[in-house]
Amino acid sequence: MKRESNKPGGLIIVDKPSGFTSHDVVAKMRGMARTRRVGHAGTLDPMATGVLVLGLERATKLLGHLALTEKEYVGTIRLGQTTITDDAEGDITASKAAHGIAREDIDAGVAQLSGAIMQVPSKVSAIKIDGKRSYSRVRDGEDVEIPARPVTISSFVVHSAHEAEAEDGTPVTDLLVSVECSSGTYIRALARDLGAGLGVGGHLTALRRTRVGPYKLDRARTLEQLQAAVDDPEGGGLPIMPVGEAAEAAFTRWNVTEAQARLLLNGARIAMPRFEGDGPVAAFGPDGRFLALVENQGGKAKSLAVFAV
């Protein structure tokens, strides 16, 4: 059996550039960090920029849980044009003049797409249908039907509306928006559905992710900045957030005794107090060492991932 690396690793918060896939960024980080063990917590479409959380070494075990946290975006929605991808990357499939739309109608449409809603993801997405990616089926000419799924839009705000003219001459209205939402939400689907509800069609023309859980843009670094840190012989190297710090920022902290720590690390399910919320809890030993990510099952702690070695 292949032994797990004892390298502690940690998180690196990247400000992803436009035109890069999340996998492209992972590949670059593997070269910078000189390790194959790199992953990301939630993808960003190539067009989008902003916060992409990468995990190195043992911190990759955090990523699946971090991907489930709330996210925050700013973007631009263009009313008046529909595209096959629901964003500016795809071909325009329909156009309709979208000048003179009343602000109250826009706000009413936004209200319909706020809170707990059922959302149909974009057809050109990585969602698997019968084992095959949806975007592959669309490229093969199939008429894809993706079932709606529940998402929560905590905040959907239109900050400004600007009338303009698209390249093909269509009168359009561009909306500057911000969105806070649950994991699994497609912002381009919000753009599509807002435009459809207003009867003019819509798609996303720009998107920037400003937060993933507790990790914001102020902690993010561009690929150029990260490469410069690696190349600087007098610098401190990559700005890696230690696993324990990353866990404490994202999850509720549970301080356990030495006896509890031994039991946890040996796989025992020990009594666990109730904490606010239903998410994972980060267990720390009396020496401050991050031990494990656990969840409460019937008052007992079930280990989701162990980090102490």
Side-chain angles (χ1 to χ4, degrees), residues 211-267:
R211 178 172 66 86
V212 173
Y215 312 120
K216 301 179 181 180
L217 271 173
D218 61 357
R219 294 294 299 265
R221 299 293 179 268
T222 65
L223 291 176
E224 290 80 9
Q225 288 172 327
L226 292 170
Q227 186 62 62
V230 171
D231 295 339
D232 184 0
E234 298 182 359
L238 287 170
I240 299 175
M241 183 187 303
V243 178
E245 180 184 337
E248 186 172 16
F251 307 106
T252 299
R253 178 175 177 138
W254 176 28
N255 294 313
V256 303
T257 66
E258 190 63 44
Q260 289 174 316
R262 285 196 301 270
L263 290 169
L264 266 181
L265 295 180
N266 285 322

Side-chain angles (χ1 to χ4, degrees), residues 6-147:
N6 286 335
K7 294 179 181 178
L11 299 187
I12 295 181
I13 316 302
V14 178
D15 185 351
K16 188 188 87 66
S18 180
F20 278 64
T21 66
S22 299
H23 181 73
D24 291 337
V25 177
V26 167
K28 282 193 169 291
M29 185 51 59
R30 284 174 176 156
M32 291 186 205
R34 297 181 181 178
T35 176
R36 297 292 302 169
R37 201 167 179 208
V38 180
H40 62 77
T43 60
L44 270 178
D45 289 335
M47 183 189 80
T49 67
V51 175
L52 183 66
V53 179
L54 301 187
L56 277 62
E57 303 295 351
R58 283 189 287 131
T60 57
K61 295 191 290 185
L62 279 178
L63 297 178
H65 305 286
L66 292 174
L68 301 177
T69 57
E70 189 177 66
K71 298 172 176 64
E72 187 175 303
Y73 301 85
V74 294
T76 304
I77 293 173
R78 171 157 288 185
L79 301 177
Q81 291 180 321
T82 303
T83 73
I84 192 170
T85 58
D86 301 328
D87 63 19
E89 297 280 279
D91 294 334
I92 296 171
T93 57
S95 297
K96 187 173 182 178
H99 281 182
I101 301 175
R103 181 57 189 259
E104 54 264 33
D105 291 337
I106 294 173
D107 290 341
V110 166
Q112 289 292 317
L113 295 170
S114 300
I117 65 172
M118 296 297 291
Q119 183 185 70
V120 177
S122 299
K123 291 184 178 181
V124 182
S125 68
I127 291 173
K128 286 187 176 181
I129 302 174
D130 296 330
K132 187 176 180 180
R133 301 289 185 187
S134 178
Y135 61 74
S136 295
R137 292 184 176 276
V138 171
R139 287 171 184 166
D140 291 342
E142 295 185 43
D143 186 13
V144 175
E145 291 295 332
I146 302 178

Side-chain angles (χ1 to χ4, degrees), residues 144-164:
V144 175
E145 291 295 332
I146 302 178
R149 56 183 60 190
V151 298
T152 300
I153 312 300
S154 304
S155 175
F156 187 1
V157 178
V158 176
H159 298 281
S160 66
H162 172 69
E163 292 185 345

